[in-house]
């Protein structure tokens, strides 16, 4: 008998993969939920993001009409700091198992290695979506409260920060997606190199050293090209709500560049996980 939708055994193979994935998903959620450092790192990400964003909103002043500041991006400044905690959290999601040797137990329980990586990515995405949304909302609330006292008022052309405003909503949603993509880069890199300190160094280097290199380059055209491929510079373009024509890359295009980095990291990590011994 020919099975509907493909050759004999296709549905059985798909069912086996989904069975592996479902079991791995439950296991990964349990491991992540019970890991001692998980809650602390996610809380650190929320607190750092909100605190730095609130500090920036309190420090920057706009005394005149048309002062040129991007109030939304200012309130979301903390994402550039909170992402470090998210990256470390993502790296430890798999490198911790390599460090203790429990990855062998994981792969014995779920022989399909790509199902294991997919489950880790899914659980990681879910928890970072929640914590990232909390961090961004807290930042915007602090900005809404603090910015008017520094001259960011309707009289100066600044409406109160609100998710009802299209550009503000795009910046908020984009910032949450940005943090998810940073987490996926961390997961992919850690899967590839397996050692926590090395993986953290690579991810933080991509995020924070890339902009330094850009500043060293003297040619403005090359600077622009490097900003267009830099994970952080391109990804955070999604936060901009004014002067979009001056950006090296558009908001959603920049987030697409970051998604490309995440996809490449996961692809390399997945290939190495599949092809080598645990």
């Amino acid at each position: 008998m020919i099975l509907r939708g493909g050759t004999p055994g296709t549905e059985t193979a798909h069912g086996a993969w989904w069975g592996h994935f479902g079991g791995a998903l439950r296991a990964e959620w349990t491991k992540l939920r019970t890991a001692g450092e998980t809650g602390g790192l996610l809380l650190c990400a929320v607190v750092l993001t909100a605190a730095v964003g609130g500090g920036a909103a309190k420090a920057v002043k706009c005394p005149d009409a048309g002062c040129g500041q991007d109030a939304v991006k200012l309130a979301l400044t903390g994402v550039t700091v909170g992402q470090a905690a998210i990256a470390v959290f993502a790296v430890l999601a798999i490198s911790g198992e390599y460090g203790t040797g429990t990855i062998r137990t994981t792969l014995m329980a779920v022989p399909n290695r790509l199902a294991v990586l997919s489950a880790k990515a899914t659980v990681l995405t879910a928890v970072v979506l929640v914590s990232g949304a909390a961090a961004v909302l807290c930042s915007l609330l602090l900005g809404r409260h603090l910015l008017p006292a520094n001259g960011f008022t309707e009289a100066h052309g600044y409406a109160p920060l609100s998710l009802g405003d299209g550009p503000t909503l795009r910046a908020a949603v984009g910032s949450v997606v940005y943090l998810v993509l940073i987490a996926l880069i961390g997961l992919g890199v850690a899967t590839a190199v397996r050692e926590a300190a090395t993986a953290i160094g690579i991810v933080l280097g991509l995020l924070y050293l890339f902009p330094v290199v850009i500043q060293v380059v003297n040619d403005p055209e090359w600077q622009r090209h490097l900003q267009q491929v830099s994970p952080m510079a391109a990804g955070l373009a999604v936060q901009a709500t004014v002067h979009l024509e001056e950006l090296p890359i558009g908001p959603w295009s920049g987030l697409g560049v970051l998604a490309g980095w995440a996809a490449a990291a996961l692809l390399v990590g997945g290939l190495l996980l599949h092809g080598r011994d645990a």
Side-chain angles (χ1 to χ4, degrees):
M1 180 179 69
I2 302 298
L3 297 175
R4 182 182 301 175
T7 58
T10 300
E11 291 186 5
T12 302
H14 290 169
W17 191 91
W18 280 108
H20 287 149
F21 176 74
L25 196 63
R26 290 188 292 272
E28 293 305 323
W29 169 242
T30 299
K31 283 186 284 187
L32 206 62
R33 182 167 48 86
T34 56
E37 69 275 6
T38 300
L41 283 169
L42 291 177
L43 180 61
C44 181
V46 174
V47 171
L48 278 174
T49 301
V52 173
K58 190 172 180 62
V60 178
K61 300 187 183 301
C62 181
D64 303 311
C67 65
Q69 292 284 348
D70 189 333
V72 177
K73 189 164 187 175
L74 192 63
L76 295 174
T77 300
V79 170
T80 61
V81 180
Q83 66 180 344
I86 294 293
V88 173
F89 165 71
V91 166
L92 294 179
I94 189 166
S95 63
E97 290 191 68
Y98 278 112
T100 60
T102 54
I103 189 67
R104 297 184 182 89
T105 305
T106 296
L107 297 179
M108 286 177 63
V110 184
N112 190 314
R113 297 185 176 197
L114 295 184
V116 171
L117 184 59
S118 298
K120 286 184 179 292
T122 300
V123 171
L124 200 64
T125 296
V127 296
V128 175
L129 274 174
V130 173
S131 57
V136 167
L137 285 174
C138 287
S139 298
L140 289 176
L141 285 173
L142 283 171
R144 181 183 175 91
H145 175 71
L146 295 171
L147 286 170
N150 286 346
F152 291 87
T153 60
E154 293 190 67
H156 289 165
Y158 292 96
L161 299 187
S162 170
L163 292 178
D165 174 60
T168 303
L169 179 61
R170 184 251 298 151
V173 172
S175 294
V176 176
V177 175
Y178 174 90
L179 291 173
V180 170
L181 293 173
I182 293 300
L184 293 178
I185 289 175
L187 177 64
V189 171
T191 304
V193 303
R194 300 194 281 192
E195 207 278 323
T198 303
I200 290 171
I202 291 172
V203 176
L204 295 186
L206 280 173
L207 294 177
Y208 297 115
L209 291 183
F210 217 129
V212 175
V213 173
I214 292 172
Q215 294 305 314
V216 172
V217 175
N218 293 322
D219 189 321
E221 192 63 24
W222 271 104
Q223 277 191 342
R224 184 178 181 86
H225 289 322
L226 288 173
Q227 287 174 329
Q228 290 170 339
V229 299
S230 164
M232 187 164 75
L236 288 179
V238 78
Q239 291 183 343
T241 61
V242 299
H243 308 307
L244 300 186
E245 69 284 353
E246 298 175 7
L247 295 175
I249 191 169
W252 291 120
S253 298
L255 205 60
V257 169
L258 184 63
W261 280 92
L266 288 172
L267 177 61
V268 172
L271 289 173
L272 290 174
L273 178 66
H274 185 266
R276 68 188 176 194
D277 294 335

